[in-house]
């Protein structure tokens, strides 16, 4: 068969393609399991720790305590009091987060490799010394309650809650990871401390270190910091086994939403079942991106807006799941009938040999691409050990999967896809998703916020700050084709991967507001194939190598990508040139493309964050300047509009192609000339970009009422400096001090101290969204509708305070230190390097701007920050609020 030889090639490389040293499992005397794996492409390291506890271990009375304990792990130890954890993360330029699942709780630190010891010390400290302070618990209840409200407002979240409640009955899997509002409010120091002491022990944990380190030195540090933690017996397994199933055939309920949606649960199996490799293939058959049955037969035909299938995973008997969001005008029952009919068909008819081979190749090839950073690899190996009790378990399952026959997969499908194993849950959309916007000039009032920041123990010494010794662009070679296409190539052989990023001069800001959305429709229509290859054939050509392609329009340009194993790089050039130069742009595909865009816009309008962001441009920018697509602009676009837009904008002159990875500049240039050298420019001129034109009004407020919501999202906005201005880097630095993460002023005040918001921060447009006329600044948050006014006042106050009082020296030093450390993390794989090269060149910026900007940041002083704050934060705020409030910002009934 046509793909069998390829499968053999990929099969020989997938397990070791990215590993520079075999992963190693070591068990310390206290029971801590340690995984070590070296990766030396970038000077970064991940320290990940997973505790074998989650919602499945909880009783109804303490539902949500695993997730709440995860939050409290960031709230201090004697050596890291208060915000000390986040200050250390920021000082080292790192990233950190945690996540709670049904059967595990996972934390990671992603640091520059030179800070590995700091990361190990932090996690060892948190394993045994978290304070669980009563005041911090009271504050965190507000934060978690806000996260709970976000989930309650979500149609998708509510659908999953309802399905699990009925599918699992009285079992702990029926309850949500977040808990209930009643259980969250009941948590206290004694409860949380007892839970922490019970489950957060070395014998119940896995520590994984992946990245640029030396094995013996790292193991010695692990012994030093973790080996001395007392040995406790692992907690007893308290998870009840489900011996009998008693779920209904169907559950229907109403909920405020823009469209109907459904879940299909086929009773599945444990993740250790020998059927998992076959179920992996069945999941891939339905839901492997653009080659999946759901995409091709339900989404592209206008039945679903989105959908997927997923196999069982995790502790306990989990279902094989199908999900679908239904297009307007289509009944959920008709979509469900089509999906179940296809599942039942696979129990009677085997998947064809060629199709099976394609799916096997796709899954194996994707593994090469999905584990090419220390963080990705750390997660993979940790879940291998916790879920399957051995390293490289997923790779072994791929090995098994590669040997399966169509008949073996049919046999597994027949065991699981049966009517008696199926439960259907349907959310029927009710009124409440529709939005109506009104403006108001009402002002805000001030509110007092206590001082909260302790800077002791950070030891910030600017004399020790060192710039990176080279730009990420070092070694990149630039070539110019005669037709105007620019090629940038950076050769590196750490991984057998090639990433190709193309940046095209196509964006909605080159057209009028009435045609907003045209670049998205054009991009999607281009992805529907060529005259020679239909949609399936075009994408299967890449999927056979575990590869794929996408196009994504932005504010200034459209970015595209093709990627994959370097042995098949000529196929990637073939596919990219077909996509750009020879798309079919079939008229018969156009309505499907438009329906897909309209459906996704409809789903986005369910989200307060999306709604307030779109509304913000209506008042911050002059009327007609926003270029945000809406249902009217999409509906009015025609096939001829899109075909003309492609011919006008998709051209070699101004296009930049960056190729990074396992390829030489000579190879890349030869292939570029072969496949793009004859590409011709159109006769028409490229439309000029319409830059931002900011409102001259002295501030304004827009409130979008969303019936049925109990949560709101809101933002304080103003004009910010252009990226071309000398004020830009000082302003961005000031914005990060104000709202760059949980350790920032907004994070500490509104989230950690007042407990008003789960999501809070500030941002300024990056260079890809900024123009010579200026940028947009936002300070944003989400909170409960009854706290909308108080939270908004607190955000305004923090913006005012940074203009009235000089930032502290420690705040500036901390942000400078963060920028230095973050440089390595920002370019830790070929994709991020290729994006940087392509977009930087496209905007005619210096390829060394990554290091140049850091040098400017290090030169800043406190007066620079104060100057830009006073200059741009004039008090003339543009405020956008969306969610469950009326025009007076009072909660809806």
């Amino acid at each position: 068969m046509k793909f069998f030889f390829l499968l053999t090639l990929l099969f020989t490389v997938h397990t070791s393609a990215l590993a520079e040293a075999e992963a190693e499992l070591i068990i310390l005397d206290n029971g801590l399991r340690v995984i070590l794996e070296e990766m030396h492409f970038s000077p970064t390291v991940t320290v990940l720790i997973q505790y074998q506890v989650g919602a499945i271990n909880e009783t109804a009375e303490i539902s949500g305590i695993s997730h709440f304990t995860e939050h409290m792990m960031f709230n201090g130890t004697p050596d890291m009091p208060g915000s000390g954890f986040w200050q250390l993360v920021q000082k080292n330029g790192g990233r950190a987060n945690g996540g709670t699942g049904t059967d595990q709780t996972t934390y990671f630190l992603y640091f520059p490799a030179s800070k590995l010891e700091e990361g190990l010390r932090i996690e060892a400290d948190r394993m045994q010394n978290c304070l669980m302070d009563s005041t911090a618990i009271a504050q965190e209840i507000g934060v978690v309650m806000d996260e709970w409200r976000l989930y309650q407002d979500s149609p998708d979240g509510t659908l999953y809650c309802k399905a699990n409640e009925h599918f699992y009955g009285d079992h702990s899997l029926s309850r949500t990871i977040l808990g209930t509002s009643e259980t969250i409010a009941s948590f206290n120091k004694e409860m949380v401390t007892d839970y922490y002491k019970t489950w957060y022990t070395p014998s119940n944990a896995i520590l994984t270190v992946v990245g640029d380190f030396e094995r013996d030195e790292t193991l010695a540090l692990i012994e030093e910091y973790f080996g001395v933690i007392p040995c406790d017996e692992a907690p007893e397994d308290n998870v009840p086994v489900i011996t009998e199933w008693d779920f209904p055939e169907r559950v229907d309920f109403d909920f405020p939403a823009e469209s109907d949606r459904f879940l299909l649960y086929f009773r599945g199996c444990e993740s250790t079942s020998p059927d998992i490799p076959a179920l992996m293939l069945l999941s891939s058959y339905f839901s492997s991106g653009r080659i999946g049955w759901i995409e091709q037969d339900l989404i592209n035909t206008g039945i679903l807006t989105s959908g997927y299938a997923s196999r069982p995973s995790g502790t306990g008997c989990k279902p094989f799941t199908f999900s679908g969001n239904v297009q307007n005008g289509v009944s959920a029952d008709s979509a469900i009938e089509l999906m179940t009919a296809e599942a039942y068909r696979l129990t009677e008819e085997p998947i064809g040999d060629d199709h099976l081979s394609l799916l096997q190749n796709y899954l194996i090839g994707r593994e090469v691409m999905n584990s090419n950073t220390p963080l990705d690899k750390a997660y993979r190996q940790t879940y291998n050990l916790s879920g399957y009790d051995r390293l490289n378990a997923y790779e072994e399952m791929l090995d098994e999967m590669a040997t399966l026959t169509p008949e073996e997969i049919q046999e597994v499908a027949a065991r699981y896809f049966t009517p008696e194993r199926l439960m259907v849950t349907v959310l029927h959309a009710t009124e409440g998703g529709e939005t109506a916007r009104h403006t108001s000039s009402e002002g805000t009032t001030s509110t007092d916020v206590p001082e909260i920041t302790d800077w002791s123990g950070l030891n910030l010494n600017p004399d020790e700050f060192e710039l990176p010794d080279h730009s990420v662009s070092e070694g990149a070679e630039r070539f110019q084709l005669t037709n105007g296409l620019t090629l940038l190539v950076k050769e590196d052989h750490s991984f057998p991967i090639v990433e190709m990023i193309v940046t095209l001069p196509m964006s909605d800001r080159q057209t009028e507001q009435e045609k907003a959305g045209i670049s998205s429709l054009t991009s999607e229509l281009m992805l529907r194939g060529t005259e020679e290859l239909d949609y399936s054939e075009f994408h299967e050509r890449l999927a056979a190598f575990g590869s794929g392609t996408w196009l994504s329009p932005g504010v200034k340009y459209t970015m595209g990508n093709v990627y994959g194993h370097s042995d098949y790089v000529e196929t990637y050039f073939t596919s990219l040139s077909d996509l750009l130069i020879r798309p079919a742009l079939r008229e018969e595909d156009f309505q499907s493309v438009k329906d897909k865009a309209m459906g996704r816009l409809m789903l986005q309008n369910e989200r307060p964050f999306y709604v307030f962001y779109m509304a913000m441009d209506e008042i911050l920018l002059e009327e007609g300047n926003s270029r945000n697509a809406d249902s009217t602009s999409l509906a009015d676009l025609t096939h001829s509009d899109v075909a003309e837009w492609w011919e006008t904008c998709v051209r070699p002159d101004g296009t930049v192609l960056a190729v990074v990875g396992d390829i030489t500049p000579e190879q890349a240039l030869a292939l570029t000339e072969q496949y793009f050298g004859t590409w011709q420019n159109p006769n028409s001129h490229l439309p000029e970009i319409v830059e931002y034109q900011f409102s001259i009004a002295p501030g304004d407020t827009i409130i979008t009422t969303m019936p049925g919501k109990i949560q709101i999202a809101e933002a304080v906005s103003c004009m910010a400096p252009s990226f071309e201005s000398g004020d830009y880097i000082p302003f961005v630095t000031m914005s990060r001090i104000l709202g760059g993460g949980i350790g920032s002023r907004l994070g500490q005040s509104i989230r950690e101290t007042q407990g008003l918001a789960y999501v809070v921060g500030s941002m300024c447009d990056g260079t890809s969204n900024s123009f010579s006329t200026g940028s947009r600044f936002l300070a944003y948050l989400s909170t409960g509708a009854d706290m909308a006014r108080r939270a908004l006042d607190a955000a305004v106050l923090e913006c005012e305070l940074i203009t009235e009082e000089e930032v502290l020296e420690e705040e500036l030093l901390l942000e400078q230190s963060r920028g230095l450390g973050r440089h390595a993390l920002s370019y830790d794989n070929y994709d991020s390097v290729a994006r940087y090269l392509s977009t930087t060149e496209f905007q005619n910026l210096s390829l060394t701007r990554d290091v140049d900007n850091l040098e400017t940041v290090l030169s800043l002083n406190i007066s620079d920050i104060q100057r830009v704050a006073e200059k741009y934060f004039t008090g003339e705020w543009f405020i956008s609020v969306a969610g469950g409030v009326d025009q007076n910002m009072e909660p809806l009934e």
Side-chain angles (χ1 to χ4, degrees), residues 63-311:
S63 178
I65 198 169
S66 299
H67 174 256
F68 192 85
T69 303
E70 175 221 315
H71 273 245
M72 291 305 301
M73 288 283 285
F74 297 93
N75 274 275
T77 70
D79 285 345
M80 295 184 295
S83 59
F85 171 87
W86 292 111
Q87 290 173 351
L88 288 173
V89 171
Q90 186 176 358
K91 172 187 176 182
N92 292 300
R95 288 169 49 199
N97 210 337
T100 305
T102 57
D103 53 1
Q104 41 65 33
T105 307
T106 308
Y107 306 86
F108 75 82
L109 292 169
Y110 194 21
F111 275 7
S114 61
K115 306 300 182 182
L116 170 59
E117 182 173 1
E118 182 86 294
L120 294 172
R121 184 190 65 78
I122 288 171
E123 288 303 347
D125 189 21
R126 294 206 297 170
M127 179 179 279
Q128 55 189 328
N129 298 319
C130 281
L131 293 172
M132 306 302 173
D133 175 73
S134 294
T135 301
I137 286 174
Q139 293 165 346
E140 203 65 31
I141 285 173
V143 174
V144 175
M145 199 71 80
D146 188 68
E147 187 178 0
W148 175 84
R149 281 190 296 264
L150 285 170
Y151 201 71
Q152 295 298 303
D153 265 358
S154 164
D156 293 328
T158 302
L159 177 62
Y160 274 97
C161 286
K162 189 72 71 173
N164 288 340
E165 176 186 334
H166 287 274
F167 190 72
Y168 291 111
D170 294 332
H171 194 272
S172 54
L173 286 171
S174 69
R175 297 188 287 272
T176 70
I177 290 170
L178 294 177
T180 69
S181 58
E182 292 80 12
T183 58
I184 295 168
S186 73
F187 294 147
N188 57 43
K189 180 179 177 67
E190 182 180 358
M191 295 167 65
V192 180
T193 300
D194 180 65
Y195 201 79
Y196 168 64
K197 294 294 186 184
T198 300
W199 296 100
Y200 282 66
T201 64
S203 56
N204 196 46
I206 298 170
L207 171 67
T208 303
V209 182
V210 178
D212 186 22
F213 62 83
E214 195 280 320
R215 184 260 187 201
D216 292 341
E217 292 178 3
T218 300
L219 184 57
L221 290 171
I222 291 170
E223 287 280 7
E224 177 183 349
Y225 288 108
F226 289 91
V228 297
I229 299 175
C231 176
D232 294 317
E233 291 186 9
E236 291 185 9
D237 184 0
N238 68 344
V239 179
V241 177
I242 302 175
T243 56
E244 294 184 7
W245 292 87
D246 184 23
F247 50 80
E249 291 183 7
R250 180 166 174 138
V251 177
D252 292 82
F253 68 102
D254 297 336
F255 192 84
E258 294 274 358
S259 67
D260 295 349
R261 61 209 68 194
F262 62 85
L263 283 174
L264 309 181
Y265 278 3
F266 284 97
R267 181 160 58 87
C269 60
E270 300 273 352
S271 61
T272 53
S273 167
D275 292 334
I276 289 294
L279 293 172
M280 288 168 56
L281 278 166
L282 287 167
S283 173
S284 182
Y285 171 85
F286 284 102
S287 188
S288 50
R290 291 185 178 271
I291 66 167
W293 180 86
I294 291 175
E295 178 80 16
Q296 295 193 10
D297 285 62
L298 296 184
I299 295 175
N300 287 350
T301 57
I303 294 168
L304 295 182
T305 299
S306 62
Y308 70 87
S310 63
R311 65 173 177 87

Side-chain angles (χ1 to χ4, degrees), residues 471-479 487-491 659-660 665 833 837 847:
S471 165
V472 68
S473 64
E474 183 176 83
E477 297 190 29
R478 181 193 284 108
F479 305 93
L487 171 69
L488 294 169
V489 187
K490 182 165 182 177
E491 179 181 1
V659 182
V660 176
V833 175
L837 293 175
L847 288 180

Side-chain angles (χ1 to χ4, degrees), residues 588-760:
E588 58 266 31
D589 289 333
F590 179 70
Q591 190 59 47
S592 166
V593 167
K594 184 187 284 192
D595 288 345
K596 185 176 182 179
M598 294 281 279
R600 293 190 172 175
L601 177 65
M602 182 174 61
L603 294 180
Q604 287 175 317
N605 280 325
E606 293 176 346
R607 303 181 178 101
F609 262 101
Y610 176 83
V611 173
F612 97 70
Y613 192 80
M614 294 298 103
M616 177 67 73
D617 280 351
E618 294 183 20
I619 55 173
L620 180 61
L621 302 178
E622 290 288 352
E623 183 177 356
N625 187 249
S626 70
R627 300 303 188 273
N628 293 324
D630 57 27
S631 57
T632 301
S633 66
L634 288 174
D636 290 343
L637 288 168
T638 66
H639 175 263
S640 60
D641 291 332
V642 168
E644 183 180 348
W645 195 239
W646 166 76
E647 188 173 357
T648 299
C649 296
V650 183
R651 57 174 69 199
D653 191 17
T655 292
V656 179
L657 173 62
V659 182
V660 176
D662 189 22
I663 188 171
T664 67
E666 293 76 19
Q667 288 174 300
L669 178 59
L671 288 167
T672 302
E673 289 178 332
Q674 177 182 347
Y675 287 97
F676 295 95
T678 58
W679 187 12
Q680 296 183 353
N681 288 293
N683 293 326
S684 58
H685 292 292
L686 185 68
E688 293 290 328
I689 286 275
V690 178
E691 299 195 332
Y692 292 147
Q693 298 299 322
F694 289 89
S695 171
I696 60 173
D700 202 352
T701 298
I702 185 166
I703 298 175
T704 308
T705 297
M706 302 177 69
K709 300 293 185 184
I710 60 174
Q711 191 79 353
I712 62 98
E714 56 192 358
V716 178
S717 180
C718 69
M719 175 183 168
S722 163
F723 73 97
E724 299 175 354
S725 165
D727 290 343
Y728 182 73
I729 291 178
F731 186 92
V732 170
T733 303
M734 181 273 294
S735 175
R736 287 205 54 83
I737 292 171
L738 177 65
I742 295 176
S744 68
R745 290 187 173 196
L746 288 170
Q748 285 298 296
S749 170
I750 293 175
R751 174 175 163 141
E752 297 300 288
T753 300
Q754 300 184 76
L756 289 173
Y758 172 64
V759 177
V760 62

Side-chain angles (χ1 to χ4, degrees), residues 830-851:
Y830 293 164
D831 175 75
S832 57
V833 175
R835 286 171 187 256
Y836 172 85
L837 293 175
S838 186
T839 58
T840 299
E841 178 72 17
F842 180 89
Q843 297 174 88
N844 294 314
L845 301 174
S846 168
L847 288 180
T848 62
R849 70 182 176 94
D850 55 331
V851 175

Side-chain angles (χ1 to χ4, degrees), residues 206-488:
I206 298 170
L207 171 67
T208 303
V209 182
V210 178
D212 186 22
F213 62 83
E214 195 280 320
R215 184 260 187 201
D216 292 341
E217 292 178 3
T218 300
L219 184 57
L221 290 171
I222 291 170
E223 287 280 7
E224 177 183 349
Y225 288 108
F226 289 91
V228 297
I229 299 175
C231 176
D232 294 317
E233 291 186 9
E236 291 185 9
D237 184 0
N238 68 344
V239 179
V241 177
I242 302 175
T243 56
E244 294 184 7
W245 292 87
D246 184 23
F247 50 80
E249 291 183 7
R250 180 166 174 138
V251 177
D252 292 82
F253 68 102
D254 297 336
F255 192 84
E258 294 274 358
S259 67
D260 295 349
R261 61 209 68 194
F262 62 85
L263 283 174
L264 309 181
Y265 278 3
F266 284 97
R267 181 160 58 87
C269 60
E270 300 273 352
S271 61
T272 53
S273 167
D275 292 334
I276 289 294
L279 293 172
M280 288 168 56
L281 278 166
L282 287 167
S283 173
S284 182
Y285 171 85
F286 284 102
S287 188
S288 50
R290 291 185 178 271
I291 66 167
W293 180 86
I294 291 175
E295 178 80 16
Q296 295 193 10
D297 285 62
L298 296 184
I299 295 175
N300 287 350
T301 57
I303 294 168
L304 295 182
T305 299
S306 62
Y308 70 87
S310 63
R311 65 173 177 87
S313 63
T315 301
C317 184
K318 300 292 182 61
F320 191 105
T321 302
F322 292 91
S323 171
N325 287 285
V326 183
Q327 279 278 16
N328 271 350
V330 177
S331 73
D333 285 344
S334 63
I336 291 168
E337 183 178 352
L338 289 169
M339 196 171 277
T340 53
E342 184 65 12
Y344 294 149
R345 186 188 70 79
L346 294 180
T347 70
E348 299 175 354
E349 302 175 21
I351 298 173
D353 286 338
D354 281 358
H355 198 153
L356 174 58
S357 181
L358 172 68
L359 296 174
Q360 289 167 324
N361 294 338
Y362 178 77
L363 286 172
I364 291 172
R366 289 299 299 161
E367 180 61 12
V368 176
M369 301 302 300
N370 286 341
S371 299
N372 64 349
T373 71
L375 185 57
D376 293 336
K377 196 69 173 178
Y379 266 103
R380 171 71 82 209
Q381 291 291 25
T382 304
Y383 281 99
N384 279 338
L385 187 59
S386 63
Y388 307 101
D389 204 31
R390 64 192 188 277
L391 298 182
N392 301 314
Y394 185 77
E395 289 83 352
E396 292 172 10
M397 286 191 288
L398 288 178
D399 293 346
E400 295 175 34
M401 177 274 301
T403 67
L404 292 174
T405 66
E407 292 71 25
E408 289 171 325
I409 296 166
Q410 180 187 355
E411 180 183 339
V412 172
R415 281 204 295 274
Y416 291 92
F417 296 158
T418 65
E420 60 270 16
R421 299 177 76 99
L422 172 63
M423 187 187 82
V424 177
T425 307
V426 182
L427 181 154
H428 299 277
T430 60
E431 187 177 357
E434 293 296 323
T435 59
R437 293 172 183 164
H438 306 278
T439 60
S440 167
S441 58
E442 183 180 357
T444 62
T445 58
S446 61
T447 184
D448 293 329
V449 179
E451 291 291 333
I452 50 159
T453 307
D454 179 6
W455 302 103
S456 60
L458 281 178
N459 300 318
L460 292 162
N461 183 357
D463 293 336
E464 297 177 357
F465 291 173
E466 292 185 10
L467 285 169
D469 56 12
H470 63 273
S471 165
V472 68
S473 64
E474 183 176 83
E477 297 190 29
R478 181 193 284 108
F479 305 93
Q480 189 89 37
L481 271 60
T482 56
N483 58 13
L485 184 145
T486 300
L487 171 69
L488 294 169

